[in-house]
Amino acid sequence: MSGSPGVVVAEQPHYLPWVDFYEQVARAGTMLVLDNVQWLRRGWQRRTRVALPANVPTPPPTEPGFQWLSIPLEDPHRDTLIGELAVDTRQPWARKHLSRLVTLYGQRPHFATQVLPLLEPFYDSVARDAGPGSLLRVLLGSTALFHESLGLKPDILLASTLERQGDEKSARLVEYCRQLKAHTYYSGLGSSLYLQVSLFRDADVRVLWQRFRHPPYAQGREGRFVQGLSIVDVLSNVPVDEVRRWLEPSPWGPFAPAPTGS
């Protein structure tokens, strides 16, 4: 599944991201990785949401129904750029993360066939990666793990390789779109809090908002469905062919087929 030419998605790199992220990847002619922005201590870049242990009851809707899986960092500073962060290899985090995921998902119907064969070599390789920039390599690697099985062939580009002009978020994204000759910027709804659509309009770049509706699926516990968990949770519970169908283009915007009989 190749994205639509001329469509740009710009996202910070994430660790074993959620299925909504892959829906953006499926749309993107270019997936622009924002590696040249400051990291957020409480952000999602170095951590992901996974299921609660089987012996923990699902909490009420007022409490989180997940736990975080976080990559330890080596002496991070508040103003450090994502692309400069180093993983703390003094901690056996990779082995612990793999063990945690096996414990959480080992009994789920598709973990052994769709997920574990990809996770084992990944964690074996990242455990040896160290130094500045190692977090970015881990994040990109964790995302790419599932591209082939999901039928995705994204054109991935680091924002640090483009010319950066200005510090205002929207203006910088518009400049990236101009350099990439994009006609459409496909954005998650979270960006609606700051994105200045008028700047894109002035540059003749259309802004489309993500409309992905997360299908519920059996997660192996009683109680409410917990949305926004890692792709590991999804592919441990749902056949990959079904997840591929979730990511197929929706009939709207520039992704719709050309009308017939007109």
Side-chain angles (χ1 to χ4, degrees):
M1 188 187 306
S2 299
S4 301
V7 177
V8 166
V9 170
E11 283 281 354
Q12 296 178 19
H14 297 288
Y15 178 44
L16 296 173
W18 53 105
V19 71
D20 307 50
F21 180 92
Y22 286 96
E23 195 270 348
Q24 286 187 290
V25 173
R27 302 291 170 271
T30 300
M31 185 71 189
L32 187 63
V33 178
L34 301 175
D35 62 321
N36 57 350
V37 298
Q38 293 180 3
W39 79 293
L40 301 175
R41 185 174 296 275
R42 299 182 65 84
W44 288 50
Q45 300 97 338
R46 69 178 181 116
R47 59 181 186 167
T48 192
R49 291 174 172 179
V50 293
L52 294 172
N55 61 347
V56 175
T58 302
T62 54
E63 300 178 20
F66 59 85
Q67 59 180 315
W68 290 105
L69 201 61
S70 302
I71 301 173
L73 301 180
E74 181 180 302
D75 301 323
H77 298 286
R78 182 177 179 182
D79 58 349
T80 305
L81 302 182
I82 294 175
E84 299 171 350
L85 289 167
V87 176
D88 187 354
T89 54
R90 295 169 295 183
Q91 303 183 43
W93 71 271
R95 176 174 56 80
K96 289 182 177 179
H97 282 201
L98 178 59
S99 177
R100 176 80 65 83
L101 293 172
V102 170
T103 299
L104 292 174
Y105 295 109
Q107 301 304 311
R108 300 309 300 152
H110 304 289
F111 179 78
T113 56
Q114 295 182 170
V115 180
L116 186 59
L118 300 175
L119 290 182
E120 287 180 321
F122 167 71
Y123 281 117
D124 182 59
S125 64
V126 300
R128 300 186 294 270
D129 197 1
S134 56
L135 178 68
L136 177 62
R137 293 191 290 273
V138 170
L139 301 182
L140 294 176
S142 78
T143 301
L145 272 183
F146 303 100
H147 282 163
E148 183 175 354
S149 59
L150 292 174
L152 302 176
K153 299 178 181 179
D155 181 11
I156 298 175
L157 184 66
L158 298 180
S160 59
T161 64
L162 299 177
E163 181 181 351
R164 173 171 170 167
Q165 296 184 3
D167 294 321
E168 200 281 320
K169 291 182 179 179
S170 294
R172 190 162 65 244
L173 291 172
V174 169
E175 174 59 22
Y176 290 151
C177 287
R178 186 192 65 78
Q179 293 181 48
L180 296 171
K181 297 179 172 57
H183 57 67
T184 301
Y185 181 72
Y186 186 47
S187 176
L189 286 176
S191 300
S192 62
L193 298 175
Y194 70 83
L195 205 68
Q196 298 182 47
V197 177
S198 60
L199 296 181
F200 289 83
R201 189 181 303 117
D202 293 343
D204 199 25
V205 176
R206 171 172 33 186
V207 175
L208 291 178
W209 302 103
Q210 187 178 29
R211 302 182 184 181
F212 181 72
R213 290 178 174 82
H214 198 309
Y217 57 91
Q219 294 177 314
R221 62 168 58 240
E222 297 294 331
R224 63 189 170 102
F225 171 68
V226 181
Q227 187 168 322
L229 298 185
S230 167
I231 189 67
V232 169
D233 190 275
V234 175
L235 289 176
S236 296
N237 291 292
V238 183
V240 68
D241 288 344
E242 182 176 344
V243 180
R244 284 192 182 196
R245 288 193 291 272
W246 295 357
L247 304 180
E248 290 175 355
S250 302
W252 56 272
F255 316 117
T260 57
S262 59

